[in-house]
C-alpha cells in the first residue's frame, strides 16, 4: 500500500519517485519532511509547500462538506 512506502525515508527512492511522493502524492511530505526539517534546518520552500498543501486540502474538505450538507436528508424524520 501507499502508506507502507511513506514509512521509509524519501531519500532511498530514485529522483522521479521522490518528486512524486513529495509533490503529487504528499505522502513523503507528510511522513518525512517534519523530521527532515528538524535534522537539516529550515527550508523556506518546504514551509511554503506545506502551507499550499494545507490550503488545497482545506478547500477540498470545505467543498465536500458543503456538498454533503446540501444533499443531506434525515434518516429518522
Amino acid at each position: 500500500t501507499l502508506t507502507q512506502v511513506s514509512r521509509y525515508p524519501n531519500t532511498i527512492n530514485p529522483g522521479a519517485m521522490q518528486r512524486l511522493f513529495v509533490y503529487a502524492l504528499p505522502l513523503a511530505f507528510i511522513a518525512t519532511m517534519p523530521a527532515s526539517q528538524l535534522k537539516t534546518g529550515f527550508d523556506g520552500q518546504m514551509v511554503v509547500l506545506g502551507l499550499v498543501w494545507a490550503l488545497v486540502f482545506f478547500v477540498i474538505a470545505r467543498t465536500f462538506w458543503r456538498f454533503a450538507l446540501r444533499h443531506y436528508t434525515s434518516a429518522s424524520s
Side-chain angles (χ1 to χ4, degrees):
T1 64
L2 289 176
T3 56
Q4 295 292 337
V5 174
S6 66
R7 289 184 181 194
Y8 302 105
N10 198 32
T11 55
I12 66 170
N13 296 320
M17 293 290 285
Q18 284 182 7
R19 287 187 291 281
L20 173 73
F21 289 131
V22 171
Y23 298 108
L25 299 170
L27 297 173
F29 183 82
I30 293 168
T32 62
M33 285 301 151
S36 173
Q37 291 293 304
L38 288 173
K39 180 182 172 196
T40 61
F42 178 76
D43 182 9
Q45 180 184 4
M46 287 298 143
V47 172
V48 170
L49 183 61
L51 292 173
V52 168
W53 273 118
L55 181 63
V56 165
F57 284 114
F58 174 77
V59 168
I60 290 170
R62 179 92 171 156
T63 303
F64 180 74
W65 177 257
R66 288 184 177 198
F67 169 80
L69 284 179
R70 280 194 312 271
H71 293 86
Y72 175 75
T73 57
S74 176
S76 62
S77 54

